[in-house]
């Protein structure tokens, strides 16, 4: 999953263009994934870890057949440069007021362009993501507003709006419950790689058990203590 991303795909179903436009919001590097910092972590090492997690997520999502395009939403100049080098469109996070505001802004921009078809939001910390599992989740959602909870069952890794509708994101503490209460359908497939988001070192090891993407896998931090690591499953069971 290296190299440049291919242009957006359009599939025809009875003359109607289908496919999800996935927004991937990413905080500025110095604010992102603070629970993955340790006393020994240099700022540049942490920034490279956050970047690798996001790059592996976005490139994997771009391989899914039911994904029409992937757009990153961020205000971070380094991330903007890295993703544009890969041919990924980056939308500016002009509100700079958190993930939900960034997602609403991205949704609004696509609406203004007149290119909005079906919006989805994908968390940027899924370094073991498989495009086939993302495809399966989108297929299970069908045309309904839906969400996929993380492996703990409390957070949300994927949120899908109905065709032409607003995303209405509610990411944050207990976002799975918030999305369920908003009327979104829970997606129940196992999809271990789609549920395995990375907020802590334990999560990172769990993602490693599934098989990390190329950018995260090559980081020194991921490889420094493999022989002594316990086996940690990430089965996706709720």
């Amino acid at each position: 999953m290296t190299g440049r991303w291919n242009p957006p795909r359009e599939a025809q179903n009875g003359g109607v263009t289908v496919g999800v436009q996935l927004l991937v919001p990413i905080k500025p590097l110095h604010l992102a994934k603070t629970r993955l910092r340790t006393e020994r972590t240099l700022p540049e090492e942490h920034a490279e870890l956050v970047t690798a997690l996001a790059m592996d997520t976005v490139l994997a999502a771009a391989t899914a057949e039911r994904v029409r395009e992937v757009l990153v939403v961020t205000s971070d100049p380094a991330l903007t440069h890295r993703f544009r080098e890969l041919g990924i469109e980056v939308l500016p996070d002009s509100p700079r007021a958190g993930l939900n505001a960034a997602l609403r802004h991205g949704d609004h921009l696509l609406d203004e362009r007149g290119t909005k078809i079906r919006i989805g939001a994908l968390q940027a910390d899924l370094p073991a993501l498989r495009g086939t599992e993302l495809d399966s989740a989108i297929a299970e959602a069908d045309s309904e507003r839906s969400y996929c909870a993380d492996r703990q069952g409390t957070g949300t890794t994927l949120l899908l709006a109905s065709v032409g509708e607003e995303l209405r994101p509610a990411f944050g503490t207990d976002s799975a419950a918030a999305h369920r209460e908003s009327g979104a359908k829970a997606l129940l497939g196992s999809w271990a790689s789609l549920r395995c988001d990375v907020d802590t070192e334990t999560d990172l090891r769990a993602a490693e058990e599934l098989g990390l993407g190329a950018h995260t896998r090559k980081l020194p931090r991921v490889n420094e203590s493999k022989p002594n690591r316990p086996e940690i499953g990430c089965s996706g069971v709720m």
Side-chain angles (χ1 to χ4, degrees):
M1 294 188 293
T2 58
R4 290 180 66 84
W5 176 53
N6 293 324
R9 294 181 292 274
E10 293 186 2
Q12 294 293 324
N13 181 8
V16 179
T17 302
V18 296
V20 174
Q21 296 157 296
L22 278 181
L23 300 174
V24 182
I26 312 175
K27 294 178 182 178
L29 290 172
H30 69 285
L31 298 176
K33 297 296 160 192
T34 55
R35 284 189 285 168
L36 282 170
R37 285 200 184 104
T38 68
E39 293 181 356
R40 297 181 301 161
T41 305
L42 297 175
E44 58 269 25
E45 291 174 339
H46 183 73
E48 197 57 36
L49 173 60
V50 174
T51 301
L53 296 175
M55 291 180 75
D56 284 334
T57 300
V58 168
L59 291 174
T63 68
E65 292 298 321
R66 294 175 183 269
V67 172
R68 182 169 182 262
E69 59 182 333
V70 184
L71 305 101
V72 168
V73 187
T74 188
S75 63
D76 190 278
L79 286 170
T80 297
H81 176 72
R82 293 286 290 271
F83 280 107
R84 285 179 175 165
E85 278 190 324
L86 293 174
I88 303 293
E89 183 174 2
V90 180
L91 302 177
D93 177 12
S94 300
R96 300 191 179 197
L99 297 185
N100 292 318
L103 288 167
R104 287 191 294 268
H105 179 64
D107 190 346
H108 177 68
L109 287 178
L110 292 184
D111 210 9
E112 278 193 329
R113 289 181 184 179
T115 59
K116 175 176 167 178
I117 297 174
R118 187 184 189 186
I119 295 292
L122 184 71
Q123 292 283 41
D125 57 354
L126 301 166
L129 181 64
R130 304 291 184 263
T132 52
E133 294 195 346
L134 179 56
D135 268 329
S136 295
I138 296 171
E140 183 175 305
D142 196 19
S143 61
E144 298 178 71
R145 173 175 164 80
S146 306
Y147 73 96
C148 180
D150 61 15
R151 67 192 183 102
Q152 289 84 9
T154 56
T156 303
T157 60
L158 173 70
L159 176 66
L160 298 169
S162 299
V163 176
E165 297 296 323
E166 292 184 349
L167 186 61
R168 294 187 288 130
F171 288 93
T173 304
D174 295 327
S175 64
H179 288 131
R180 182 175 63 251
E181 289 166 7
S182 76
K185 176 178 75 172
L187 301 174
L188 303 178
S190 57
W191 311 315
S193 74
L194 178 58
R195 297 191 186 275
C196 202
D197 56 346
V198 174
D199 290 314
T200 66
E201 187 69 25
T202 298
D203 295 334
L204 182 59
R205 295 179 185 182
E208 185 180 350
E209 291 293 323
L210 293 174
L212 295 168
H215 294 86
T216 309
R217 186 170 62 242
K218 69 183 181 182
L219 295 177
R221 174 172 174 175
V222 173
N223 293 287
E224 63 187 3
S225 60
K226 280 184 178 179
N228 297 321
R229 288 183 176 177
E231 293 187 2
I232 302 174
C234 188
S235 65
V237 176
M238 301 299 297

